[in-house]
Amino acid sequence: MAWGKHKDRNALIEETDQQRKEKPEKTKSEKRQTLKKIFKYIFSICSLLLVLVGAVLVGLGLWPLLDKEYMAILSEAGLDASASIILVVTAGGGILFIVGFLGCCGAVMEKTTMLCFYINIVLFILMGQILAVILLMRMKEEIATALNINLVKTLKKEYDRKTDIDNVFSAALDWVQVTFYCCGINNYTEFKTASNWKDKNTKVVPETCCVITNRDEFSSDYVAHTKDPACTSKPTASNSYISTIVGIIFASFLICTIVSK
């Protein structure tokens, strides 16, 4: 009997020791599973946000494309670049939707195929972005020159200084000149070649090139009240902004209104 009790006691001790050894291993496994779930949920939420953003962009892009009246207005205004931007937004939204869908479904369903597609698409987009940045850095001077030439041509063709803001380019140029204290694309002499500006024979620069008294209210009615009445016919460094240029700021702002040549 004593030997049997001693054996049972030894077996109990061995079982307890075995349980102690197994417990840390189970704890580590549980921690790994918990971390896996956390990462899966975070990834799923981020992917779901991509799906929502993509769906919104697609909707915003399809709305003007399906609106024949809106597209007709763009076509009549010569804003072909704006239509191109709408297509890019729609395509970008579609790509985001697909990427988010693959990531979300792949994470929730734990499908390695979807996750592999997700990784490949993201890597492809990343490489495209890197390539675009490299090309922009190497061609920045050519791009800036081309934009400048195109903007000057557009000023000569489109600018009319009308306050009804039907002419998008003209209204945008006036707003930029008032906002950024500048005059013209490169200099004020460009307004003499503006074919649609009816006052070019009596004025050297439009009112928006001058120091105005209603700068804060200008964007509400696009009417400019010059501080010096003689500014438009005799602009100087003190009563106008003829000594400043808009340069790249204006090029960036009006890139969506450039008329395709």
Side-chain angles (χ1 to χ4, degrees):
M1 285 293 290
W3 181 80
K5 291 182 179 179
H6 180 71
K7 184 178 179 181
D8 292 340
R9 188 163 51 250
N10 289 338
L12 182 61
I13 292 172
E14 290 178 0
E15 185 179 350
T16 304
D17 291 339
Q18 184 66 26
Q19 290 177 353
R20 288 177 180 176
K21 291 179 181 180
E22 291 178 355
K23 189 174 181 180
E25 294 180 1
K26 291 182 178 180
T27 303
K28 290 180 180 179
S29 177
E30 290 174 357
K31 287 182 178 180
R32 283 196 295 268
Q33 290 297 324
T34 302
L35 287 175
K36 180 182 176 181
K37 289 182 180 180
I38 291 173
F39 284 127
K40 184 172 76 173
Y41 290 142
I42 292 175
F43 185 78
S44 300
I45 292 172
C46 292
S47 298
L48 183 60
L49 289 176
L50 282 180
V51 171
L52 295 176
V53 172
V56 170
L57 289 177
V58 170
L60 291 176
L62 288 178
W63 172 65
L65 290 176
L66 296 176
D67 190 340
K68 295 182 179 179
E69 184 178 351
Y70 180 80
M71 294 304 295
I73 293 173
L74 285 181
S75 179
E76 291 176 4
L79 300 180
D80 298 331
S82 296
S84 300
I85 291 174
I86 292 172
L87 289 174
V88 170
V89 169
T90 306
I95 293 173
L96 284 178
F97 183 89
I98 294 172
V99 171
F101 177 79
L102 290 174
C104 187
C105 291
V108 173
M109 300 170 63
E110 297 185 359
K111 296 289 185 180
T112 56
T113 305
M114 289 185 174
L115 291 175
C116 286
F117 273 115
Y118 173 87
I119 293 172
N120 289 330
I121 294 175
V122 171
L123 288 176
F124 179 78
I125 294 173
L126 181 61
M127 288 188 292
Q129 290 176 337
I130 294 173
L131 180 61
V133 170
I134 293 173
L135 290 175
L136 286 174
M137 292 298 293
R138 296 191 64 177
M139 300 176 62
K140 59 181 180 181
E141 293 183 2
E142 291 86 348
I143 294 173
T145 301
L147 284 173
N148 187 281
I149 293 172
N150 210 342
L151 285 170
V152 172
K153 288 182 179 179
T154 307
L155 184 150
K156 294 178 180 179
K157 181 181 177 181
E158 300 289 335
Y159 187 78
D160 56 17
R161 184 57 194 112
K162 291 182 179 179
T163 58
D164 54 9
I165 66 173
D166 288 336
N167 187 325
V168 177
F169 181 91
S170 184
L173 178 56
D174 284 329
W175 182 86
V176 171
Q177 289 181 153
V178 171
T179 303
F180 295 102
Y181 306 100
C182 55
C183 187
I185 308 302
N186 297 302
N187 57 68
Y188 69 96
T189 59
E190 294 161 348
F191 289 103
K192 277 296 181 182
T193 61
S195 58
N196 288 334
W197 188 34
K198 295 180 180 179
D199 296 332
K200 65 180 180 180
N201 295 325
T202 58
K203 297 179 180 179
V204 177
V205 295
E207 291 82 356
T208 51
C209 281
C210 301
V211 177
I212 61 176
T213 58
N214 63 325
R215 183 171 177 271
D216 294 334
E217 296 81 22
F218 174 78
S219 58
S220 61
D221 55 12
Y222 279 72
V223 175
H225 302 293
T226 59
K227 187 175 182 180
D228 181 2
C231 171
T232 55
S233 57
K234 296 179 180 180
T236 64
S238 60
N239 66 6
S240 69
Y241 307 120
I242 61 173
S243 60
T244 60
I245 61 173
V246 64
I248 299 301
I249 296 177
F250 183 47
S252 301
F253 178 78
L254 287 181
I255 191 170
C256 63
T257 65
I258 298 174
V259 179
S260 299
K261 302 299 181 182

